[in-house]
Amino acid sequence: MEEPADSGGGAAAEGPAAQVTEIRCPAGARPLRLLEWKVKPGALVNVDSVIAVCAPIPAEGERRAAEKKLKSDRAGVVRELCGQLGQVIPPGSVIAKVEECSHPVVMKGLCAECGQDLTQLQSKNGKQQVPVSTATVSMVHSVPELMVSSEQAEQLGREDQQRLHRNRKLVLMVDLDQTLIHTTEQHCQRMSNKGIFHFQLGRGEPMLHTRLRPHCKDFLEKIAKLYELHVFTFGSRLYAHTIAGTWLHRIESSSTFLN
């Protein structure tokens, strides 16, 4: 029989401070004899990871009950195992201490630190379970599902600053439409197709026609030696990535394009 252990801690800590939660035997149950540890100090555990295997101590005249698996209700790193094999553990006693994971990097609902599926965390009463992820900042435009904590974002920002200082460059923001390219839904049959990129953003969407503005390639090649270039647009994300991936990447320059 598997049984989640009671957590002695509160909600997950906000910010960089780590919170250590006490994992306890279920209150109100029979005393348990500790038979086997399923984890070691330093091990990663998720919600429902088995911490220990125990045998309930039967009352006088009762038959021996089935073994119980005590499971963690938190994700994190095991910091301490509180008990010796063979020891009888009273109900409500601490069996382990877990340093909770703040889930600082999350990709499509999965924590990159501990592997916990955050979309399936539910408490016994059906409410959303803690710990709550601290990852709230999207850092990669092409992968919006990748989120990092504000502390991680600040660290990445500092590293970007240091890289720019080493390269002795500033960042130059360049508008995409009407500056680097021109895109229209109108297409003249008599117009030459040379240098024009024809594409649709989806089935049933109108055909779009894009071409580089005059001297765009020369401009990018020269300015990229002085600046780290970032391209922005008020168009949709799909439009920006289609242009950057299919058109602008054909330009042989050292520019960096972020949409």
Side-chain angles (χ1 to χ4, degrees), residues 20-23 34 36-45 49-53 70 72 77-85 87 89 93-99:
V20 176
T21 297
E22 294 178 341
I23 306 299
L34 181 58
E36 181 183 4
W37 289 114
K38 288 296 187 180
V39 294
K40 296 180 180 180
L44 285 171
V45 292
S49 291
V50 178
I51 299 292
V53 178
L70 299 184
S72 175
V77 178
V78 177
R79 291 305 178 202
E80 183 179 353
L81 298 178
C82 307
Q84 302 292 328
L85 296 182
Q87 177 181 343
I89 305 174
S93 297
V94 178
I95 62 168
K97 295 182 180 180
V98 174
E99 182 179 314

Side-chain angles (χ1 to χ4, degrees), residues 139 155-172 224 226-230 254-258:
M139 292 292 293
Q155 175 63 29
L156 291 171
R158 287 191 294 268
E159 291 175 358
D160 278 343
Q161 275 189 336
Q162 294 168 0
R163 175 177 51 79
L164 289 170
H165 288 163
R166 288 194 304 269
N167 295 336
R168 301 180 64 83
K169 285 187 176 182
L170 295 177
V171 171
L172 179 64
L226 305 175
Y227 297 92
E228 179 176 283
L229 299 182
H230 294 250
S254 58
S255 307
T256 298
F257 297 103
L258 297 178

Side-chain angles (χ1 to χ4, degrees), residues 4-9 21-24 45-49 51 70-75 98 100 116 121-122 124 129-131:
D6 291 337
S7 171
T21 297
E22 294 178 341
I23 306 299
R24 299 175 177 269
V45 292
N46 290 329
V47 174
D48 291 335
S49 291
I51 299 292
L70 299 184
K71 301 161 73 175
S72 175
D73 65 349
R74 304 295 171 105
V98 174
E100 294 188 45
Q116 178 67 53
L121 288 180
Q122 290 184 342
K124 298 176 183 178
Q129 172 66 294
V130 292

